[in-house]
Amino acid sequence: MASKPKTSKTKDPKPKLAFYWASSCGGCEITITELGMRLVDVSELVDIVFWPAAMDFKYDEVRAMKDEEIDICFFNGAIRNSENEEIAHLLRKKSKLMIAFGSCSHLGGIPGLANLFDAETLLERVFDTAQSLDESRGTRPQVKNKMPEGEIELPQMYDRVKSLAQTVEVDYFMPGCPPVVDQVWNVFQAILTGKLPEKGSVIGAEAKTNCDVCTREKGTSGMRITEFKRPHLTELDPDKCFLTQGVICLGPATRAGCGLPCVNGNMPCRGCYGPPDGVVDQGSKLVSAVAALVDTDDPQALRDILAGIVDPVGLSYRFGLAESILSDLKYGK
Amino acid sequence: MENNDKHISFVEQVQAIPGGEHVSVCYSCGTCVSKCMIQQKVEPDYNPRRLLRMVMMGMREEAFESPTTWMCSECDLCYSSCPQEIHISGVIGAVKQLAVEAGYKTPLEVVSVDENLCSGCGICVMTCPYEAPHLIEKEVDGELDRFSEVDAEKCMGCGMCVAACPIGAISRPGVSNAEVVSQIKIKKKRGKKSLIVFVCDWSLREDDDVVLLESYPDNVRIIHIPCTGRIDPQMALIALNSGIDGVLVVGCKPGECHYKRGTYVSDCKINLLNTMLGQMQLADGRVRFVQIGTQDRGRIRHEVDDMLALLEKEAV
């Protein structure tokens, strides 16, 4: 942002927008700045009242707002610690519309992969056993810390990473890691013209899956997989379906809308737009599909072929582990 | 005999189709019938020996209307036992091809594709052991769209594609996602371990074993499926997540699957599921796949008992 737009000191009919990042990488913020000059147009039409990544607002300013004073809150990032959770509840209370923006708030995203391990295991790894440490210092971040100036508090890290909808009620879901900029623009326009669909809908995406828009040559009868290949170790034909080349692509289980930047770059879809409507658990559906393509009648060969899928959870639940049944099983519903 | 081409007899027509060549060497011993699961389990009128005889006697319409023509799933259990080494399913396939050409329709429950959902990924096409689905392009609202279309006459109704479809666009009456999931329910009883048993309808050869399934108390829920290839790892996850202690999937031994690939497909799925449960530090043997051979009489009882004993021991 070149300059901070004026905040509403007088009664202003402009809709008030808030952007927040919880457990996220910042990519969602960048996708908003990618709007470029269009952002200038947006800032003429709206008031941005909260955006920690780009502008100097404090939590207390949000706390001082009236309930539902914010018209629309774009919330990116997963819920990993007590701060994320607290601000999610705060922004929910202060916002008329809560939009889960990006894969992490939509499904848990990449931070959700941490659900493979509980908090203690993660902290032990990071602070005690990581090779990059000279030696274990035996120190861990504590929630309460005594400092010369007094006691300070850090957020509590939770065992389970959650999506935004697992924490507060969400009105719309905008998928993507990050949401592609043209879809962000579409959604802004839909908001400003009041053309939003039914609450609870996924916005800024299509109804069908990526295969619907992918022009690669699809598999034919009997075309199956005898070896799983990893994309970085394989020379890939840019015109053929990845699955027909033994490379697992999440496109068949992933909602379209991104415009296929990965696939067009000759890399398989990683699934960041999440599943289409009606699919509860994207990862297990993908596994069901991929397993059906394995071609062997030898039980041992079958195991060898499957060993070629190095990290099935990381592959099939890359963006959806936080909301998955696997996480429910590990941490309770 | 009504034949468009009076010069060619029915048997010659069958022989002209690849697979149908050896029909005339059949001497009607009936060994194939004794091996066939369809005759034993679902259709007493199913009889390959009789169908081959009908072909040789030129009984065209009778052959086309016979359940044998439509129900053979090419499992080929009969092939290895035929003393004349006739590839019987090949002959039946040739008869079926002629029947389809003559306009006859399959009597089986087959799958259907919801075009509003189908994105044309082609996974069902690659999965099907019978080459029933294929991708087509047609115009929808002025735009060319790609869908899967199922050739009903080729579909055997195994449900492998229903499980493989990553977005639930394919269904088959009786084994649609919702119908199977609605059966995954066990009322919790204090002190009793609960177990879901998905049983392939073809894996149990003995009447006693089938009867046994009816006799389990409420903590063991039997869910019948046409083939373990119909299993979706999500079903096991849903079961465990609802508090059910274990999931046992019972299918056929490699090489004996009624639908050719189902047992391998299911093996892959349960294998991957257990790998994933292991990655989450949740692998404790609570999901198991067992393959029952044609000679394994009474084994289902031991497998269920074993599983219940394991669940008791682990006290999960």
Side-chain angles (χ1 to χ4, degrees), chain B residues 188-233:
Chain B
K188 269 289 202 191
K189 268 190 189 161
R190 206 174 271 272
K192 285 260 183 194
K193 292 294 167 189
S194 51
L195 178 66
I196 292 274
V197 188
F198 290 104
V199 183
C200 156
D201 279 336
W202 302 98
S203 67
L204 302 183
R205 321 283 157 145
E206 275 297 292
D207 287 349
D208 285 354
D209 287 343
V210 178
V211 171
L212 174 77
L213 293 181
E214 307 298 318
S215 71
Y216 281 108
D218 292 347
N219 61 319
V220 178
R221 176 107 192 202
I222 308 291
I223 300 178
H224 292 272
I225 46 174
C227 174
T228 51
R230 170 64 190 95
I231 280 290
D232 176 338

mmCIF file of all heavy atoms in Angstrom, chain B residues 188-233:
data_model
loop_
_atom_site.group_PDB
_atom_site.id
_atom_site.type_symbol
_atom_site.label_atom_id
_atom_site.label_comp_id
_atom_site.label_asym_id
_atom_site.label_seq_id
_atom_site.Cartn_x
_atom_site.Cartn_y
_atom_site.Cartn_z
ATOM 1 N N LYS B 188 -23.417 -48.682 20.594
ATOM 2 C CA LYS B 188 -22.369 -49.029 21.567
ATOM 3 C C LYS B 188 -22.961 -49.777 22.757
ATOM 4 O O LYS B 188 -23.972 -49.385 23.317
ATOM 5 C CB LYS B 188 -21.712 -47.736 22.065
ATOM 6 C CG LYS B 188 -20.509 -47.344 21.235
ATOM 7 C CD LYS B 188 -19.377 -48.311 21.502
ATOM 8 C CE LYS B 188 -18.032 -47.705 21.150
ATOM 9 N NZ LYS B 188 -16.979 -48.739 21.166
ATOM 10 N N LYS B 189 -22.270 -50.904 23.075
ATOM 11 C CA LYS B 189 -22.685 -51.613 24.280
ATOM 12 C C LYS B 189 -21.506 -51.682 25.223
ATOM 13 O O LYS B 189 -20.392 -51.945 24.792
ATOM 14 C CB LYS B 189 -23.150 -53.037 23.928
ATOM 15 C CG LYS B 189 -24.611 -53.125 23.664
ATOM 16 C CD LYS B 189 -25.050 -54.571 23.576
ATOM 17 C CE LYS B 189 -26.475 -54.657 23.092
ATOM 18 N NZ LYS B 189 -26.776 -55.990 22.577
ATOM 19 N N ARG B 190 -21.741 -51.444 26.454
ATOM 20 C CA ARG B 190 -20.666 -51.430 27.438
ATOM 21 C C ARG B 190 -19.939 -52.776 27.449
ATOM 22 O O ARG B 190 -20.573 -53.829 27.466
ATOM 23 C CB ARG B 190 -21.266 -51.167 28.817
ATOM 24 C CG ARG B 190 -20.308 -50.534 29.800
ATOM 25 C CD ARG B 190 -21.039 -50.195 31.079
ATOM 26 N NE ARG B 190 -21.613 -48.849 31.029
ATOM 27 C CZ ARG B 190 -20.945 -47.756 31.401
ATOM 28 N NH1 ARG B 190 -19.705 -47.862 31.832
ATOM 29 N NH2 ARG B 190 -21.506 -46.574 31.350
ATOM 30 N N GLY B 191 -18.625 -52.719 27.378
ATOM 31 C CA GLY B 191 -17.842 -53.942 27.495
ATOM 32 C C GLY B 191 -17.762 -54.776 26.220
ATOM 33 O O GLY B 191 -17.123 -55.813 26.196
ATOM 34 N N LYS B 192 -18.461 -54.346 25.165
ATOM 35 C CA LYS B 192 -18.425 -55.113 23.911
ATOM 36 C C LYS B 192 -17.678 -54.321 22.846
ATOM 37 O O LYS B 192 -17.972 -53.143 22.636
ATOM 38 C CB LYS B 192 -19.853 -55.363 23.413
ATOM 39 C CG LYS B 192 -20.589 -56.420 24.196
ATOM 40 C CD LYS B 192 -20.571 -57.734 23.443
ATOM 41 C CE LYS B 192 -21.382 -58.779 24.196
ATOM 42 N NZ LYS B 192 -21.140 -60.116 23.698
ATOM 43 N N LYS B 193 -16.746 -54.965 22.179
ATOM 44 C CA LYS B 193 -16.048 -54.307 21.085
ATOM 45 C C LYS B 193 -16.928 -54.362 19.835
ATOM 46 O O LYS B 193 -17.593 -55.380 19.581
ATOM 47 C CB LYS B 193 -14.712 -55.004 20.815
ATOM 48 C CG LYS B 193 -13.713 -54.812 21.942
ATOM 49 C CD LYS B 193 -13.299 -53.357 22.044
ATOM 50 C CE LYS B 193 -12.557 -53.098 23.349
ATOM 51 N NZ LYS B 193 -12.334 -51.663 23.562
ATOM 52 N N SER B 194 -16.938 -53.282 19.077
ATOM 53 C CA SER B 194 -17.788 -53.260 17.890
ATOM 54 C C SER B 194 -16.938 -53.395 16.627
ATOM 55 O O SER B 194 -15.825 -52.874 16.548
ATOM 56 C CB SER B 194 -18.596 -51.962 17.851
ATOM 57 O OG SER B 194 -17.744 -50.852 18.021
ATOM 58 N N LEU B 195 -17.486 -54.102 15.677
ATOM 59 C CA LEU B 195 -16.734 -54.413 14.461
ATOM 60 C C LEU B 195 -17.647 -54.318 13.244
ATOM 61 O O LEU B 195 -18.741 -54.874 13.228
ATOM 62 C CB LEU B 195 -16.165 -55.841 14.575
ATOM 63 C CG LEU B 195 -15.388 -56.393 13.381
ATOM 64 C CD1 LEU B 195 -14.094 -55.616 13.159
ATOM 65 C CD2 LEU B 195 -15.075 -57.881 13.593
ATOM 66 N N ILE B 196 -17.165 -53.583 12.247
ATOM 67 C CA ILE B 196 -17.862 -53.558 10.952
ATOM 68 C C ILE B 196 -17.160 -54.560 10.045
ATOM 69 O O ILE B 196 -15.926 -54.571 9.944
ATOM 70 C CB ILE B 196 -17.771 -52.152 10.307
ATOM 71 C CG1 ILE B 196 -18.574 -51.116 11.090
ATOM 72 C CG2 ILE B 196 -18.186 -52.201 8.838
ATOM 73 C CD1 ILE B 196 -20.034 -51.004 10.728
ATOM 74 N N VAL B 197 -17.930 -55.421 9.401
ATOM 75 C CA VAL B 197 -17.340 -56.375 8.465
ATOM 76 C C VAL B 197 -17.930 -56.115 7.074
ATOM 77 O O VAL B 197 -19.125 -56.334 6.855
ATOM 78 C CB VAL B 197 -17.613 -57.840 8.888
ATOM 79 C CG1 VAL B 197 -16.823 -58.804 8.017
ATOM 80 C CG2 VAL B 197 -17.278 -58.058 10.353
ATOM 81 N N PHE B 198 -17.107 -55.616 6.189
ATOM 82 C CA PHE B 198 -17.532 -55.470 4.796
ATOM 83 C C PHE B 198 -17.255 -56.800 4.104
ATOM 84 O O PHE B 198 -16.105 -57.230 4.031
ATOM 85 C CB PHE B 198 -16.739 -54.365 4.097
ATOM 86 C CG PHE B 198 -17.072 -52.982 4.560
ATOM 87 C CD1 PHE B 198 -16.213 -52.288 5.408
ATOM 88 C CD2 PHE B 198 -18.246 -52.357 4.154
ATOM 89 C CE1 PHE B 198 -16.513 -50.997 5.832
ATOM 90 C CE2 PHE B 198 -18.556 -51.056 4.574
ATOM 91 C CZ PHE B 198 -17.687 -50.383 5.411
ATOM 92 N N VAL B 199 -18.296 -57.432 3.619
ATOM 93 C CA VAL B 199 -18.108 -58.742 3.005
ATOM 94 C C VAL B 199 -18.438 -58.698 1.523
ATOM 95 O O VAL B 199 -19.547 -58.309 1.125
ATOM 96 C CB VAL B 199 -19.015 -59.806 3.672
ATOM 97 C CG1 VAL B 199 -18.761 -61.183 3.065
ATOM 98 C CG2 VAL B 199 -18.763 -59.858 5.163
ATOM 99 N N CYS B 200 -17.480 -59.098 0.725
ATOM 100 C CA CYS B 200 -17.730 -59.296 -0.693
ATOM 101 C C CYS B 200 -18.685 -60.467 -0.836
ATOM 102 O O CYS B 200 -18.456 -61.538 -0.269
ATOM 103 C CB CYS B 200 -16.413 -59.589 -1.414
ATOM 104 S SG CYS B 200 -16.627 -60.490 -2.953
ATOM 105 N N ASP B 201 -19.760 -60.254 -1.541
ATOM 106 C CA ASP B 201 -20.784 -61.291 -1.654
ATOM 107 C C ASP B 201 -20.268 -62.567 -2.314
ATOM 108 O O ASP B 201 -20.878 -63.622 -2.194
ATOM 109 C CB ASP B 201 -21.989 -60.755 -2.439
ATOM 110 C CG ASP B 201 -22.898 -59.920 -1.542
ATOM 111 O OD1 ASP B 201 -22.870 -60.136 -0.321
ATOM 112 O OD2 ASP B 201 -23.625 -59.053 -2.073
ATOM 113 N N TRP B 202 -19.152 -62.497 -3.016
ATOM 114 C CA TRP B 202 -18.645 -63.676 -3.718
ATOM 115 C C TRP B 202 -17.595 -64.443 -2.915
ATOM 116 O O TRP B 202 -17.259 -65.568 -3.256
ATOM 117 C CB TRP B 202 -18.025 -63.259 -5.058
ATOM 118 C CG TRP B 202 -18.996 -62.536 -5.934
ATOM 119 C CD1 TRP B 202 -19.103 -61.194 -6.084
ATOM 120 C CD2 TRP B 202 -20.019 -63.113 -6.745
ATOM 121 N NE1 TRP B 202 -20.123 -60.881 -6.933
ATOM 122 C CE2 TRP B 202 -20.704 -62.045 -7.364
ATOM 123 C CE3 TRP B 202 -20.426 -64.433 -7.015
ATOM 124 C CZ2 TRP B 202 -21.769 -62.252 -8.234
ATOM 125 C CZ3 TRP B 202 -21.493 -64.628 -7.890
ATOM 126 C CH2 TRP B 202 -22.147 -63.553 -8.477
ATOM 127 N N SER B 203 -17.075 -63.808 -1.862
ATOM 128 C CA SER B 203 -15.921 -64.416 -1.191
ATOM 129 C C SER B 203 -16.283 -65.631 -0.344
ATOM 130 O O SER B 203 -15.431 -66.467 -0.061
ATOM 131 C CB SER B 203 -15.205 -63.375 -0.319
ATOM 132 O OG SER B 203 -16.037 -62.996 0.764
ATOM 133 N N LEU B 204 -17.533 -65.729 0.065
ATOM 134 C CA LEU B 204 -17.917 -66.857 0.903
ATOM 135 C C LEU B 204 -18.581 -67.925 0.043
ATOM 136 O O LEU B 204 -19.660 -67.731 -0.498
ATOM 137 C CB LEU B 204 -18.855 -66.398 2.018
ATOM 138 C CG LEU B 204 -18.285 -65.317 2.928
ATOM 139 C CD1 LEU B 204 -19.261 -64.977 4.036
ATOM 140 C CD2 LEU B 204 -16.940 -65.737 3.508
ATOM 141 N N ARG B 205 -17.908 -69.052 -0.097
ATOM 142 C CA ARG B 205 -18.389 -70.091 -1.025
ATOM 143 C C ARG B 205 -19.345 -71.055 -0.335
ATOM 144 O O ARG B 205 -20.154 -71.693 -0.964
ATOM 145 C CB ARG B 205 -17.206 -70.884 -1.606
ATOM 146 C CG ARG B 205 -15.984 -70.032 -1.931
ATOM 147 C CD ARG B 205 -16.187 -69.271 -3.213
ATOM 148 N NE ARG B 205 -15.313 -68.090 -3.261
ATOM 149 C CZ ARG B 205 -14.750 -67.604 -4.350
ATOM 150 N NH1 ARG B 205 -14.951 -68.168 -5.511
ATOM 151 N NH2 ARG B 205 -13.996 -66.547 -4.301
ATOM 152 N N GLU B 206 -19.206 -71.182 0.987
ATOM 153 C CA GLU B 206 -19.969 -72.177 1.720
ATOM 154 C C GLU B 206 -21.271 -71.595 2.260
ATOM 155 O O GLU B 206 -21.272 -70.509 2.839
ATOM 156 C CB GLU B 206 -19.145 -72.667 2.913
ATOM 157 C CG GLU B 206 -18.184 -73.776 2.592
ATOM 158 C CD GLU B 206 -18.910 -75.026 2.136
ATOM 159 O OE1 GLU B 206 -19.605 -75.634 2.985
ATOM 160 O OE2 GLU B 206 -18.780 -75.395 0.966
ATOM 161 N N ASP B 207 -22.364 -72.332 2.110
ATOM 162 C CA ASP B 207 -23.634 -71.877 2.669
ATOM 163 C C ASP B 207 -23.516 -71.628 4.166
ATOM 164 O O ASP B 207 -24.072 -70.665 4.684
ATOM 165 C CB ASP B 207 -24.733 -72.919 2.409
ATOM 166 C CG ASP B 207 -25.141 -72.915 0.933
ATOM 167 O OD1 ASP B 207 -24.721 -71.965 0.224
ATOM 168 O OD2 ASP B 207 -25.832 -73.843 0.506
ATOM 169 N N ASP B 208 -22.762 -72.509 4.848
ATOM 170 C CA ASP B 208 -22.612 -72.374 6.302
ATOM 171 C C ASP B 208 -22.006 -71.033 6.667
ATOM 172 O O ASP B 208 -22.373 -70.421 7.663
ATOM 173 C CB ASP B 208 -21.713 -73.487 6.861
ATOM 174 C CG ASP B 208 -22.455 -74.815 6.897
ATOM 175 O OD1 ASP B 208 -23.669 -74.806 6.606
ATOM 176 O OD2 ASP B 208 -21.824 -75.837 7.213
ATOM 177 N N ASP B 209 -21.033 -70.605 5.852
ATOM 178 C CA ASP B 209 -20.366 -69.331 6.126
ATOM 179 C C ASP B 209 -21.325 -68.160 5.934
ATOM 180 O O ASP B 209 -21.291 -67.188 6.677
ATOM 181 C CB ASP B 209 -19.145 -69.151 5.206
ATOM 182 C CG ASP B 209 -17.999 -70.064 5.604
ATOM 183 O OD1 ASP B 209 -18.032 -70.578 6.744
ATOM 184 O OD2 ASP B 209 -17.091 -70.269 4.780
ATOM 185 N N VAL B 210 -22.172 -68.282 4.922
ATOM 186 C CA VAL B 210 -23.142 -67.225 4.651
ATOM 187 C C VAL B 210 -24.155 -67.163 5.793
ATOM 188 O O VAL B 210 -24.500 -66.077 6.285
ATOM 189 C CB VAL B 210 -23.849 -67.467 3.299
ATOM 190 C CG1 VAL B 210 -24.890 -66.386 3.040
ATOM 191 C CG2 VAL B 210 -22.824 -67.499 2.162
ATOM 192 N N VAL B 211 -24.604 -68.342 6.240
ATOM 193 C CA VAL B 211 -25.573 -68.401 7.341
ATOM 194 C C VAL B 211 -24.961 -67.810 8.614
ATOM 195 O O VAL B 211 -25.619 -67.077 9.358
ATOM 196 C CB VAL B 211 -26.037 -69.864 7.582
ATOM 197 C CG1 VAL B 211 -26.865 -69.982 8.856
ATOM 198 C CG2 VAL B 211 -26.820 -70.359 6.367
ATOM 199 N N LEU B 212 -23.666 -68.109 8.813
ATOM 200 C CA LEU B 212 -22.971 -67.618 10.000
ATOM 201 C C LEU B 212 -23.059 -66.094 10.119
ATOM 202 O O LEU B 212 -23.224 -65.547 11.211
ATOM 203 C CB LEU B 212 -21.492 -68.047 9.940
ATOM 204 C CG LEU B 212 -20.580 -67.486 11.032
ATOM 205 C CD1 LEU B 212 -20.800 -68.228 12.342
ATOM 206 C CD2 LEU B 212 -19.124 -67.557 10.617
ATOM 207 N N LEU B 213 -22.996 -65.444 8.972
ATOM 208 C CA LEU B 213 -23.022 -63.979 8.973
ATOM 209 C C LEU B 213 -24.290 -63.432 9.619
ATOM 210 O O LEU B 213 -24.294 -62.368 10.215
ATOM 211 C CB LEU B 213 -22.914 -63.441 7.538
ATOM 212 C CG LEU B 213 -21.598 -63.671 6.809
ATOM 213 C CD1 LEU B 213 -21.668 -63.050 5.430
ATOM 214 C CD2 LEU B 213 -20.424 -63.088 7.578
ATOM 215 N N GLU B 214 -25.372 -64.198 9.454
ATOM 216 C CA GLU B 214 -26.662 -63.745 9.998
ATOM 217 C C GLU B 214 -26.705 -63.887 11.518
ATOM 218 O O GLU B 214 -27.567 -63.319 12.178
ATOM 219 C CB GLU B 214 -27.812 -64.570 9.391
ATOM 220 C CG GLU B 214 -27.826 -64.622 7.874
ATOM 221 C CD GLU B 214 -28.009 -63.248 7.245
ATOM 222 O OE1 GLU B 214 -28.836 -62.468 7.739
ATOM 223 O OE2 GLU B 214 -27.276 -62.963 6.273
ATOM 224 N N SER B 215 -25.780 -64.697 12.050
ATOM 225 C CA SER B 215 -25.913 -65.082 13.454
ATOM 226 C C SER B 215 -25.138 -64.178 14.416
ATOM 227 O O SER B 215 -25.196 -64.366 15.614
ATOM 228 C CB SER B 215 -25.443 -66.527 13.625
ATOM 229 O OG SER B 215 -24.025 -66.574 13.460
ATOM 230 N N TYR B 216 -24.373 -63.219 13.877
ATOM 231 C CA TYR B 216 -23.569 -62.398 14.792
ATOM 232 C C TYR B 216 -24.448 -61.453 15.605
ATOM 233 O O TYR B 216 -25.447 -60.943 15.105
ATOM 234 C CB TYR B 216 -22.524 -61.591 14.013
ATOM 235 C CG TYR B 216 -21.323 -62.426 13.641
ATOM 236 C CD1 TYR B 216 -21.097 -62.813 12.335
ATOM 237 C CD2 TYR B 216 -20.429 -62.843 14.629
ATOM 238 C CE1 TYR B 216 -20.001 -63.597 11.991
ATOM 239 C CE2 TYR B 216 -19.332 -63.630 14.296
ATOM 240 C CZ TYR B 216 -19.125 -63.998 12.971
ATOM 241 O OH TYR B 216 -18.057 -64.776 12.652
ATOM 242 N N PRO B 217 -24.068 -61.244 16.859
ATOM 243 C CA PRO B 217 -24.822 -60.283 17.683
ATOM 244 C C PRO B 217 -24.614 -58.856 17.191
ATOM 245 O O PRO B 217 -23.825 -58.609 16.272
ATOM 246 C CB PRO B 217 -24.231 -60.479 19.081
ATOM 247 C CG PRO B 217 -22.887 -61.086 18.865
ATOM 248 C CD PRO B 217 -22.968 -61.859 17.595
ATOM 249 N N ASP B 218 -25.303 -57.927 17.835
ATOM 250 C CA ASP B 218 -25.356 -56.540 17.353
ATOM 251 C C ASP B 218 -24.014 -55.833 17.270
ATOM 252 O O ASP B 218 -23.877 -54.862 16.526
ATOM 253 C CB ASP B 218 -26.267 -55.703 18.265
ATOM 254 C CG ASP B 218 -27.705 -56.135 18.129
ATOM 255 O OD1 ASP B 218 -27.983 -56.885 17.165
ATOM 256 O OD2 ASP B 218 -28.535 -55.746 18.961
ATOM 257 N N ASN B 219 -23.026 -56.297 18.037
ATOM 258 C CA ASN B 219 -21.744 -55.574 18.029
ATOM 259 C C ASN B 219 -20.923 -55.871 16.773
ATOM 260 O O ASN B 219 -19.910 -55.240 16.531
ATOM 261 C CB ASN B 219 -20.926 -55.889 19.285
ATOM 262 C CG ASN B 219 -20.575 -57.355 19.396
ATOM 263 O OD1 ASN B 219 -21.410 -58.213 19.118
ATOM 264 N ND2 ASN B 219 -19.345 -57.655 19.766
ATOM 265 N N VAL B 220 -21.374 -56.850 15.986
ATOM 266 C CA VAL B 220 -20.706 -57.128 14.707
ATOM 267 C C VAL B 220 -21.694 -56.813 13.587
ATOM 268 O O VAL B 220 -22.742 -57.444 13.471
ATOM 269 C CB VAL B 220 -20.245 -58.596 14.606
ATOM 270 C CG1 VAL B 220 -19.611 -58.861 13.253
ATOM 271 C CG2 VAL B 220 -19.275 -58.931 15.728
ATOM 272 N N ARG B 221 -21.369 -55.805 12.819
ATOM 273 C CA ARG B 221 -22.289 -55.405 11.752
ATOM 274 C C ARG B 221 -21.735 -55.878 10.409
ATOM 275 O O ARG B 221 -20.629 -55.526 10.025
ATOM 276 C CB ARG B 221 -22.415 -53.884 11.756
ATOM 277 C CG ARG B 221 -23.252 -53.346 10.641
ATOM 278 C CD ARG B 221 -24.555 -52.872 11.181
ATOM 279 N NE ARG B 221 -25.535 -52.592 10.158
ATOM 280 C CZ ARG B 221 -26.563 -51.794 10.359
ATOM 281 N NH1 ARG B 221 -26.735 -51.222 11.522
ATOM 282 N NH2 ARG B 221 -27.444 -51.595 9.408
ATOM 283 N N ILE B 222 -22.536 -56.660 9.702
ATOM 284 C CA ILE B 222 -22.115 -57.146 8.387
ATOM 285 C C ILE B 222 -22.680 -56.208 7.316
ATOM 286 O O ILE B 222 -23.877 -55.942 7.284
ATOM 287 C CB ILE B 222 -22.654 -58.581 8.129
ATOM 288 C CG1 ILE B 222 -22.302 -59.526 9.294
ATOM 289 C CG2 ILE B 222 -22.164 -59.113 6.792
ATOM 290 C CD1 ILE B 222 -20.857 -59.884 9.450
ATOM 291 N N ILE B 223 -21.821 -55.719 6.460
ATOM 292 C CA ILE B 223 -22.285 -54.900 5.339
ATOM 293 C C ILE B 223 -21.885 -55.605 4.041
ATOM 294 O O ILE B 223 -20.707 -55.832 3.780
ATOM 295 C CB ILE B 223 -21.691 -53.476 5.393
ATOM 296 C CG1 ILE B 223 -22.115 -52.783 6.701
ATOM 297 C CG2 ILE B 223 -22.135 -52.662 4.172
ATOM 298 C CD1 ILE B 223 -21.539 -51.388 6.897
ATOM 299 N N HIS B 224 -22.900 -55.980 3.271
ATOM 300 C CA HIS B 224 -22.635 -56.706 2.023
ATOM 301 C C HIS B 224 -22.267 -55.727 0.908
ATOM 302 O O HIS B 224 -22.929 -54.712 0.714
ATOM 303 C CB HIS B 224 -23.872 -57.502 1.604
ATOM 304 C CG HIS B 224 -24.174 -58.629 2.544
ATOM 305 N ND1 HIS B 224 -23.624 -59.877 2.403
ATOM 306 C CD2 HIS B 224 -24.948 -58.676 3.652
ATOM 307 C CE1 HIS B 224 -24.063 -60.657 3.376
ATOM 308 N NE2 HIS B 224 -24.861 -59.955 4.156
ATOM 309 N N ILE B 225 -21.220 -56.064 0.198
ATOM 310 C CA ILE B 225 -20.840 -55.266 -0.970
ATOM 311 C C ILE B 225 -20.586 -56.234 -2.132
ATOM 312 O O ILE B 225 -20.254 -57.400 -1.907
ATOM 313 C CB ILE B 225 -19.576 -54.402 -0.707
ATOM 314 C CG1 ILE B 225 -18.476 -55.225 -0.015
ATOM 315 C CG2 ILE B 225 -19.905 -53.181 0.114
ATOM 316 C CD1 ILE B 225 -17.173 -54.489 0.143
ATOM 317 N N PRO B 226 -20.775 -55.759 -3.368
ATOM 318 C CA PRO B 226 -20.630 -56.689 -4.491
ATOM 319 C C PRO B 226 -19.192 -57.142 -4.700
ATOM 320 O O PRO B 226 -18.948 -58.205 -5.265
ATOM 321 C CB PRO B 226 -21.123 -55.879 -5.692
ATOM 322 C CG PRO B 226 -21.098 -54.455 -5.269
ATOM 323 C CD PRO B 226 -21.225 -54.429 -3.788
ATOM 324 N N CYS B 227 -18.239 -56.329 -4.248
ATOM 325 C CA CYS B 227 -16.824 -56.618 -4.488
ATOM 326 C C CYS B 227 -16.043 -55.722 -3.542
ATOM 327 O O CYS B 227 -16.458 -54.591 -3.274
ATOM 328 C CB CYS B 227 -16.474 -56.273 -5.943
ATOM 329 S SG CYS B 227 -14.713 -56.410 -6.330
ATOM 330 N N THR B 228 -14.904 -56.205 -3.045
ATOM 331 C CA THR B 228 -14.131 -55.341 -2.150
ATOM 332 C C THR B 228 -13.540 -54.158 -2.914
ATOM 333 O O THR B 228 -13.117 -53.184 -2.313
ATOM 334 C CB THR B 228 -13.004 -56.104 -1.433
ATOM 335 O OG1 THR B 228 -12.243 -56.819 -2.401
ATOM 336 C CG2 THR B 228 -13.560 -57.044 -0.400
ATOM 337 N N GLY B 229 -13.525 -54.251 -4.237
ATOM 338 C CA GLY B 229 -13.114 -53.098 -5.035
ATOM 339 C C GLY B 229 -14.048 -51.910 -4.833
ATOM 340 O O GLY B 229 -13.722 -50.787 -5.178
ATOM 341 N N ARG B 230 -15.221 -52.167 -4.277
ATOM 342 C CA ARG B 230 -16.192 -51.105 -3.982
ATOM 343 C C ARG B 230 -15.800 -50.330 -2.720
ATOM 344 O O ARG B 230 -16.307 -49.250 -2.446
ATOM 345 C CB ARG B 230 -17.596 -51.712 -3.829
ATOM 346 C CG ARG B 230 -18.666 -50.767 -3.296
ATOM 347 C CD ARG B 230 -18.909 -49.615 -4.251
ATOM 348 N NE ARG B 230 -19.755 -48.578 -3.669
ATOM 349 C CZ ARG B 230 -19.293 -47.490 -3.062
ATOM 350 N NH1 ARG B 230 -18.003 -47.301 -2.922
ATOM 351 N NH2 ARG B 230 -20.116 -46.585 -2.579
ATOM 352 N N ILE B 231 -14.890 -50.897 -1.928
ATOM 353 C CA ILE B 231 -14.480 -50.260 -0.672
ATOM 354 C C ILE B 231 -13.789 -48.938 -0.951
ATOM 355 O O ILE B 231 -13.008 -48.802 -1.880
ATOM 356 C CB ILE B 231 -13.532 -51.200 0.107
ATOM 357 C CG1 ILE B 231 -14.341 -52.247 0.836
ATOM 358 C CG2 ILE B 231 -12.670 -50.441 1.104
ATOM 359 C CD1 ILE B 231 -15.146 -51.711 1.985
ATOM 360 N N ASP B 232 -14.135 -47.983 -0.111
ATOM 361 C CA ASP B 232 -13.538 -46.663 -0.183
ATOM 362 C C ASP B 232 -12.893 -46.448 1.194
ATOM 363 O O ASP B 232 -13.551 -46.662 2.203
ATOM 364 C CB ASP B 232 -14.707 -45.701 -0.444
ATOM 365 C CG ASP B 232 -14.312 -44.256 -0.462
ATOM 366 O OD1 ASP B 232 -13.270 -43.918 0.117
ATOM 367 O OD2 ASP B 232 -15.078 -43.462 -1.039
ATOM 368 N N PRO B 233 -11.609 -46.050 1.248
ATOM 369 C CA PRO B 233 -10.964 -45.893 2.559
ATOM 370 C C PRO B 233 -11.761 -44.977 3.492
ATOM 371 O O PRO B 233 -11.708 -45.125 4.708
ATOM 372 C CB PRO B 233 -9.620 -45.244 2.222
ATOM 373 C CG PRO B 233 -9.378 -45.528 0.795
ATOM 374 C CD PRO B 233 -10.705 -45.709 0.141
#
